[in-house]
Every structure is written in structure tokens, then in C-alpha cells.
Amino acid sequence: MKRSAAEILREYGPFPGFDKVHGVSFDGRHVWIALGDALNALDPDSGKMVRTFAIPAHAGTAFDGRHLYQIAESHIQKVDPQTGEVLATIPAPGGGNDSGLTWAEGSLWVGQYRDRKIHEIDPETGAIRRTIETSRFVTGVTWVDSELWHGTWEGDECALCRIDPKSGNMIEQIDLPEGIGMSGLESDGEGRFFCGGGTTGKVRVVRRPRAAK
């Protein structure tokens, strides 16, 4: 297994009025941050909040190219990114014990923290299509260039883990500095990961390692 230390490129936050980051996504322009009682859009260049929706945002966040998806307790909300209107809801597979969320290949992918699982689910019904088991606790989840990554947070140790999407075996691990927290996770599709900082109330940008040729 390849292992390296995280290269942190930038930090955002903490954000006034909020003390914890629950989920992170990226729509190609804005970083969406789940802050418990609100879902906020951040301009990653200026570091300024540009949009705030007062909706429950308790865990992972995802973007499918048109809509946002936000875990709220035991459900996943489908959200209009322009108005914040909740267009539909589906049950979350963990019934309130869900963590990360991302979109890929026409499915939502939902992390289960203590169960060490990632479920692929139908975005219309919430039905589980398949389940991947991993060896570490699962926080945020993201796909990039056919690579499946998830965050992990156990005690004071946090890392980004790349796993085999068929077997769940660990392929690569990027260790974050001790004690900084690791909650939501999303790739920008290129060279950056956006990482929720849990109780630090921050979002950190971590360089994505170059894929081996």
C-alpha cells in the first residue's frame, strides 16, 4: 500500500455561527458545505460565502450536475442549488447513521461510519444497489478518475483512503496532521480534495497525488 503525508494547500473557516463541518461537495464553481442547520456555497477563490440555504444538513453532500443531495438525519434531500427548495426526499440506507455522500455513474454513494461500508444507492428510491466493505471507519466519500476515495477518522488519526471498489482493499493512504479532524470529502475532478474538518469548523484543500502511469 502506498502511504504519504497530506499536502494542505489552503484552509477555509471556521465560519461564524457554526462550529462543525458535516459534509462537503463541489459543483465545478462553488464548494458546498453542510453546517448542521444550513447548506452554504463557498467561492474557493475568494474564500467568501456566496449562498446560504436554511435546510437541515447533518452529514454528506453531493452534486449530480444539476441538483444537490444532502443527508438530513435519516433521509437524503434533493435540493435545487439556485433556490434551496427541497424537491424530493429518499430514505438514507443507515437510517440516521450515515456519513459521506457523493455522486458517480448515475448513483449516490453513501458512507456508513462505524459499519465501515459504502453503499451505492438508487437516487430515485434509495434502494441499495451494492455495498463495498472497507477496513476503516468511513467519513466522506468521493470518486475521481475511476478511483474511489473515502475519509477516515479514528481517535486523533485522520486520513484519505483509496480503496479497490470491488474488494474494498486499501490501495493508498494520505495521512492528515494529527488532531485536525476529517468529515466530508469531495474531489474537484483534478488535483484537489476538499476535506471537511469536523469539529475544527474548517474546510481544507489537500493536493491529490498524481496517478501512477
Side-chain angles (χ1 to χ4, degrees):
M1 181 188 73
K2 182 180 179 182
R3 192 166 186 173
S4 61
E7 181 182 352
I8 298 176
L9 304 176
R10 186 168 180 178
E11 291 188 350
Y12 304 101
F15 307 104
F18 301 97
D19 60 4
K20 187 181 295 184
V21 173
H22 298 270
V24 179
S25 192
F26 183 63
D27 67 5
R29 182 179 178 186
H30 299 124
V31 179
W32 290 88
I33 306 170
L35 295 168
D37 296 324
L39 180 60
N40 288 10
L42 174 85
D43 181 331
D45 295 325
S46 68
K48 295 181 179 179
M49 291 294 189
V50 297
R51 201 170 301 159
T52 299
F53 298 142
I55 61 173
H58 301 134
T61 312
F63 181 69
D64 71 356
R66 293 184 58 197
H67 301 102
L68 293 162
Y69 293 84
Q70 177 59 58
I71 296 176
E73 296 182 346
S74 60
H75 290 82
I76 299 172
Q77 305 168 110
K78 182 177 182 179
V79 181
D80 185 321
Q82 299 301 317
T83 66
E85 180 184 358
V86 176
L87 305 173
T89 61
I90 58 173
N97 294 311
D98 309 275
S99 53
L101 184 67
T102 197
W103 174 273
E105 302 173 345
S107 296
L108 287 168
W109 302 76
V110 188
Q112 303 272 255
Y113 178 68
R114 293 193 178 277
D115 290 341
R116 298 180 171 91
K117 294 179 180 179
I118 299 169
H119 299 294
E120 178 188 4
I121 70 168
D122 186 314
E124 298 295 327
T125 67
I128 295 174
R129 292 172 169 169
R130 67 165 163 149
T131 298
I132 301 166
E133 296 190 13
T134 181
S135 61
R136 306 293 299 276
F137 288 164
V138 178
T139 57
V141 181
T142 191
W143 280 90
V144 55
D145 294 337
S146 300
E147 295 178 353
L148 177 57
W149 291 81
H150 75 78
T152 191
W153 185 355
E154 300 184 38
D156 290 330
E157 296 183 4
C158 298
L160 298 168
C161 304
R162 179 160 71 96
I163 63 172
D164 184 312
K166 293 183 179 180
S167 67
N169 292 338
M170 188 85 71
I171 299 171
E172 184 173 357
Q173 180 169 318
I174 305 172
D175 296 308
L176 277 71
E178 185 175 329
I180 69 170
M182 175 66 197
S183 48
L185 172 65
E186 188 67 283
S187 167
D188 70 349
E190 298 182 4
R192 298 178 295 176
F193 289 116
F194 296 104
C195 305
T199 53
T200 67
K202 295 184 177 183
V203 172
R204 295 177 176 87
V205 184
V206 173
R207 187 185 300 279
R208 177 189 168 208
R210 292 185 179 181
K213 294 183 180 180

